[in-house]
Amino acid sequence: MVKGVVGEETRLKSVEDRLSQTAVPAEVGLLIGKFSSTLDRAFLFDLIPTPPNDSAQPPSSITQPDNNKKGPKPKSQPTDSSSLFIDKDWVAEHARQVSRMLPGGIKVVGLYVWVSDSAFKNSTIMLCQTVKGVAEAAPVSEVDWDERLLLHICYSPRRWNCRNCSLSSNITSSSLRPCDFKMGKVLSSLQTFKCMHNFNLRLPILHDGASKSQTLSDVLRHAISIHAKELTGAKALIDGKLVVESESCSSDGVHDVELLLPFLNDSPVEACSQRDVVGILSFSGLICSFAYLNSKEPISQAVADIKGDIIMSLRSRLDIICDEADSDSVNNHDVGSQVTHEIAAEKPVPQLVLQLLRKGCNLPFPRRVFTPWLAGVYVCDYLQSSETVEVLKDHCMELLSMKAPTDVSTILEPEKEVPSFRTKSFWDVALPSCVENHLMEDKRKVDGGGESSSSKTMKPGHGHINVVAAGLILLLSVLVGFVLFFLKG
C-alpha cells in the first residue's frame, strides 16, 4: 500500500503554470512514475495530458445538470452542481499506448485531473471508473497492484490533493483514500541500468489433435510466457558482480546488467511424441532494456524491473503486429509482405494456423529505439523495418506531449539483431527422410551437370581399376588360406 507520494517539483510546477495560463475548465491525463513496494512510496516523474480523440474532441469537459427535466425538483440546489465528463475508453487507450513507450520500472501509475473542487466531488464515481480502466489497459506488473493514484489539481482554491484509488470490483465514493503528497527532487536521484539480452526459444508446432490453439499469435504468446518463467529463475550480474538481494547501489553512471539463465532447467514445454510434431518454431533475437532505480531501493529491484521490461517489450511488439494486421485486414491488405515466403494472403499473419503451412516463414518483430526524455531517462518506441525515426518524433509529440528530438544522434538504436520468429517447413519436419532423399538427388544432379542417371558415363579406366582390385583381394585371400592350412598341419 502506498503511504506517501513524492512528485518531481520542476515538472509538476511546469504543468501547473501551463494549466493556469490556458485557463481550461478541465483537463485529464496520466501520472507517469514508479511504485516502490520496499519503501511504500510512489514517485511521480511527469504528468502527460491525454490528447483530443479522433474527432478532435477533448477527452474531458464540464457538464451542467439539465434543469428542464420534468419531475419534482430538489428542495435545496447546491451552489455548483457541475460535474466532470471523461471519455474513459479514450483515456484508457492513451494509457495503453504510453505504457509501451516506458522503460523498466517506470509505469502509468494513475490519473490526474485539473478541475474545480465542486466538480471533482460531484464526479468521484466517474473518476474511479476511469482510473480502473487505465489500470486494466496499462498493468504495472504480472501480479498487479490493487490500487492506483488519483491526483487532483484544484484551481479554486489552488491546491494539490493525492488519493489512493482502490481497484475493487465495487466502485463507490469510499474507494478514494487520501495519502501524503509532497514535491521534491526525484529525477536527479535515479540510477540507470542497461541490459542487452539474447534469447533463443525452439518450440514444437503440434497437429490439430494434439493442440487446441496453434495460430501464430497464440504460439508466440505461449513462447513469451515460457521465457517469462525462465527469467524468473535467472541470476544477474551487475557490473560483473553477482547481485545480492538487499544490497544497494550508490555509484553513478550506467550499470551493465547480465542475466544468467539456468543451464539445465526443467523445460516448461509439454512433452510430445515425434508423430505429434508437424513443425518447429524458432523465436530468437536481441533485446535492449533500460531500468531506473531510486537510490534508496535495493539493487534487486532493478533486476526485477529489467526482467519485467524484457517480457513487456516482447508482448508490446506482438501487439503492434496484431494491431496492424487487424487494421490491414479491413482493407484486404496482404500483411504477409514482410514474410519471406507468400503465405495465405487472404488471412492476417497472426491468425495463420501453423499446422497448415507448407512453407517456412520468417517475420521480424519491430525494433526498439530510445530517445532522451527527462534528466537522462530514456523512453522508447517500436519501428517496423520500413519506418524511420520520424515516426518516433510524431509519437513523442502526440502521446508524451514532449518536444520532438532535433538531434538524431541522441536517438539510440542498439538492437542490431531484432527479435524474430522462424518456422521450419512442414515437410522438413513431417517427412524428413523424403526431404533428405530429394536433397541427395538434387546434389547428384548438380554434380553430374544435370544429366539423368541413365545417361551418366564412367570415366575411362574406372571400371578396369575396380576389377583389378577385386582380383588382387581374391588372390590375397587364397594365399592367406594356404598359409594357415600348412601352419595348422
Side-chain angles (χ1 to χ4, degrees), residues 214-460:
Q214 285 288 296
T215 63
L216 176 59
S217 59
D218 292 332
V219 172
L220 287 176
R221 292 189 194 282
H222 180 56
I224 294 172
S225 298
I226 288 175
H227 195 52
K229 294 179 182 178
E230 291 180 345
L231 286 180
T232 301
K235 302 296 183 181
L237 297 177
I238 295 184
D239 297 332
K241 297 180 181 179
L242 189 64
V243 172
V244 179
E245 287 293 326
S246 58
E247 185 180 5
S248 60
C249 182
S250 57
S251 58
D252 297 329
V254 179
H255 304 283
D256 293 324
V257 180
E258 182 181 358
L259 298 179
L260 306 177
L261 295 176
F263 182 64
L264 293 175
N265 61 335
D266 295 330
S267 176
V269 182
E270 63 274 5
C272 55
S273 62
Q274 184 177 358
R275 60 185 178 183
D276 291 336
V277 178
V278 297
I280 295 294
L281 183 141
S282 176
F283 188 37
S284 61
L286 174 68
I287 297 176
C288 179
S289 173
F290 280 93
Y292 298 90
L293 193 70
N294 186 276
S295 58
K296 296 182 180 179
E297 292 181 283
I299 200 170
S300 58
Q301 184 61 49
V303 177
D305 292 340
I306 286 284
K307 293 178 180 179
D309 181 65
I310 290 172
I311 300 304
M312 183 277 298
S313 177
L314 288 174
R315 288 174 176 163
S316 296
R317 300 178 210 225
L318 179 57
D319 290 340
I320 291 172
I321 293 177
C322 293
D323 291 345
E324 291 189 356
D326 292 340
S327 61
D328 290 342
S329 62
V330 176
N331 301 323
N332 294 324
H333 178 68
D334 180 15
V335 294
S337 58
Q338 301 179 69
V339 184
T340 55
H341 299 284
E342 293 182 3
I343 46 175
E346 68 277 1
K347 263 192 175 183
V349 172
Q351 298 177 9
L352 289 175
V353 179
L354 296 186
Q355 297 94 331
L356 303 180
L357 290 180
R358 292 299 183 266
K359 293 182 180 179
C361 62
N362 176 16
L363 180 64
F365 272 32
R367 71 185 189 279
R368 195 180 197 185
V369 296
F370 296 86
T371 185
W373 181 41
L374 301 172
V377 176
Y378 283 91
V379 290
C380 70
D381 200 6
Y382 299 95
L383 305 181
Q384 298 284 14
S385 57
S386 60
E387 294 177 332
T388 64
V389 292
E390 296 299 326
V391 177
L392 169 65
K393 295 179 180 180
D394 294 340
H395 287 175
C396 288
M397 291 187 295
E398 179 184 4
L399 298 177
L400 299 180
S401 189
M402 61 179 281
K403 294 181 179 179
T406 56
D407 187 1
V408 181
S409 63
T410 60
I411 298 176
L412 304 181
E413 300 184 60
E415 295 184 353
K416 303 302 181 183
E417 181 185 349
V418 296
S420 63
F421 80 88
R422 296 176 178 85
T423 60
K424 290 191 67 174
S425 169
F426 175 91
W427 300 110
D428 287 349
V429 179
L431 299 173
S433 59
C434 293
V435 174
E436 184 177 356
N437 292 337
H438 282 299
L439 292 176
M440 292 299 295
E441 183 179 352
D442 293 340
K443 186 177 184 301
R444 285 197 299 267
K445 288 181 179 180
V446 172
D447 294 340
E451 297 178 357
S452 62
S453 58
S454 60
S455 64
K456 289 181 180 178
T457 57
M458 294 184 180
K459 295 180 179 180

Side-chain angles (χ1 to χ4, degrees), residues 25 62 80 82 114-121 152-156:
I62 299 295
D80 187 358
S82 61
W114 161 268
V115 73
S116 65
D117 191 45
S118 58
F120 180 88
K121 293 178 180 178
H152 175 209
I153 311 172
C154 180
Y155 55 76
S156 180

Side-chain angles (χ1 to χ4, degrees), residues 15-16 94 100 189 228 234 313 325 341 359 372 389 391 445 480-481 487:
V15 171
E16 184 180 31
H94 182 220
R100 292 176 178 175
S189 63
S313 177
H341 299 284
K359 293 182 180 179
V389 292
V391 177
K445 288 181 179 180
V480 171
L487 289 176

Side-chain angles (χ1 to χ4, degrees), residues 6-11 41 43-45 182-190 294-296:
V6 183
E8 174 60 37
E9 185 175 12
T10 57
R11 298 301 303 168
R41 282 187 175 187
F43 302 96
L44 300 183
F45 302 152
K182 65 179 181 179
M183 297 185 188
K185 295 182 179 180
V186 176
L187 293 171
S188 60
S189 63
L190 292 180
N294 186 276
S295 58
K296 296 182 180 179

